[in-house]
Amino acid sequence: MYSYIKTPEEINKIRIASNLASNVLKMIKPYIKSGISTNLIDKICYKYITIYQKAYPACLGYNGYPKSICISVNEVVCHGIPNNETILKNGDIVNIDVTVLKNGFYGDTSKMFFVGNISTIGKNLCLIAQESLYLAIKIIRPFLKLNYIGKIIENFVNKKNFSIVKEYCGHGIGKKFHEPPQVLHFYDKNNNIILYPGMIFTIEPMINSGKRNVIVMKDKWTVKTKDNSLSAQYEHTILVTKNGCEILTFRENENINKIINHN
């Protein structure tokens, strides 16, 4: 587990990459409107990351993934591939997942966007997904068992009568896009690694309005809910500190503090 702990220099570089990823989500918000294709959104993000940020969109080419970001609309749970055929329309809920590679280190984050007037269930689903992430972040501190993250998310989501996708999870991040440990969004007694200051990982619960079952499309990337129910996801990259944690991908106007201390 000590191999998971980052040096101060590594933490600083991951903080920079994470901030860039967060800024992509801030930049793209005005473009998320009815009538735009997901492919155009991807192109805008690619240009912003490569030209303005002088960084690299880590999804591009990762295990053969063909685009710079993942865009998952409505019943798409994750890894939606941007394309010219998918045109955003009024009522859509949209997850944009961005990972930026800068100076050899990664930062990873995602959030939901609303297109026009969305349904009550769509809005509630997104709020619960975001709140489940926030609740998990708020308990992070040194010497906590990793599986408490999954426990608090699972308990909260189940009480709201939504379901948690179990096939995908958060992950360590740093010099590699995906590193140990795996961060499950449900309780697993065996996922009991102890957290230490200097560990960095993502938390990214995927919550469905219907059943938790998912299917992978023929493109081998796009994951959808099996019952075509809506799905929502929020993701942050988190640093464990001496007294709590820091949200490295923090965005302005979030309903949570960037730095959380437990005295």
Side-chain angles (χ1 to χ4, degrees), residues 64-80:
Y65 187 79
K67 296 293 182 177
S68 298
I69 60 174
C70 297
I71 305 179
S72 303
V73 182
N74 295 331
E75 76 279 5
V76 179
V77 177
C78 61
H79 305 158

Side-chain angles (χ1 to χ4, degrees), residues 34 40 48 68-69 82 94 109 112 135 138 172 184 201-202 206 209 218 220 234 237 256 258:
S34 180
L40 180 54
Y48 182 78
S68 298
I69 60 174
V94 184
T109 188
M112 300 301 296
L135 288 172
K138 288 175 181 178
L184 305 181
F201 49 81
T202 71
M206 303 173 194
S209 63
K218 291 181 179 180
K220 298 182 179 180
Y234 284 84
T237 296
I256 188 173
K258 179 179 181 180

Side-chain angles (χ1 to χ4, degrees), residues 62-97:
Y62 182 76
N63 290 338
Y65 187 79
K67 296 293 182 177
S68 298
I69 60 174
C70 297
I71 305 179
S72 303
V73 182
N74 295 331
E75 76 279 5
V76 179
V77 177
C78 61
H79 305 158
I81 301 175
N83 60 82
N84 287 320
E85 288 69 42
T86 303
I87 309 296
L88 299 187
K89 64 184 184 302
N90 183 61
D92 285 344
I93 60 171
V94 184
N95 177 271
I96 296 184
D97 192 343

Side-chain angles (χ1 to χ4, degrees), residues 77 125 157 161-165 206-214 225-227 229-232:
V77 177
L125 177 69
V157 172
N161 295 316
F162 291 129
S163 62
I164 300 168
V165 175
M206 303 173 194
I207 311 301
N208 298 343
S209 63
K211 295 182 179 180
R212 56 163 290 269
N213 309 85
V214 300
T225 55
K226 192 171 183 179
D227 59 7
S229 62
L230 296 174
S231 187

Side-chain angles (χ1 to χ4, degrees), residues 6-18:
K6 305 297 191 291
T7 67
E9 182 181 4
E10 289 173 331
I11 291 170
N12 185 54
K13 289 183 177 180
I14 298 167
R15 182 181 282 112
I16 291 170
S18 296

Side-chain angles (χ1 to χ4, degrees), residues 114-182:
F114 301 162
V115 183
N117 299 311
I118 67 169
S119 66
T120 299
I121 191 168
K123 184 178 292 185
N124 288 340
L125 177 69
C126 293
L127 289 174
I128 295 306
Q130 185 177 50
E131 186 59 27
S132 73
L133 171 60
Y134 287 169
L135 288 172
I137 291 171
K138 288 175 181 178
I139 68 166
I140 294 174
R141 67 184 78 191
F143 313 118
L144 181 79
K145 287 185 178 180
L146 185 63
N147 56 17
Y148 273 70
I149 292 173
K151 185 176 183 178
I152 196 167
I153 292 172
E154 183 174 41
N155 288 344
F156 178 70
V157 172
N158 285 346
K159 287 179 181 178
K160 300 298 182 179
N161 295 316
F162 291 129
S163 62
I164 300 168
V165 175
K166 295 186 176 181
E167 287 81 358
Y168 303 92
C169 62
H171 52 88
I173 191 167
K175 289 182 179 179
K176 295 181 180 179
F177 193 158
H178 297 92
E179 300 179 350
Q182 289 191 332

Side-chain angles (χ1 to χ4, degrees), residues 187-229:
Y187 182 72
D188 180 351
K189 65 179 181 179
N190 296 316
N191 190 32
N192 58 1
I193 291 170
I194 302 298
L195 301 185
Y196 287 93
M199 292 176 67
I200 298 179
F201 49 81
T202 71
I203 307 175
E204 45 187 295
M206 303 173 194
I207 311 301
N208 298 343
S209 63
K211 295 182 179 180
R212 56 163 290 269
N213 309 85
V214 300
I215 53 175
V216 180
M217 299 293 99
K218 291 181 179 180
D219 61 26
K220 298 182 179 180
W221 281 105
T222 306
V223 179
K224 293 186 177 182
T225 55
K226 192 171 183 179
D227 59 7
N228 288 315
S229 62

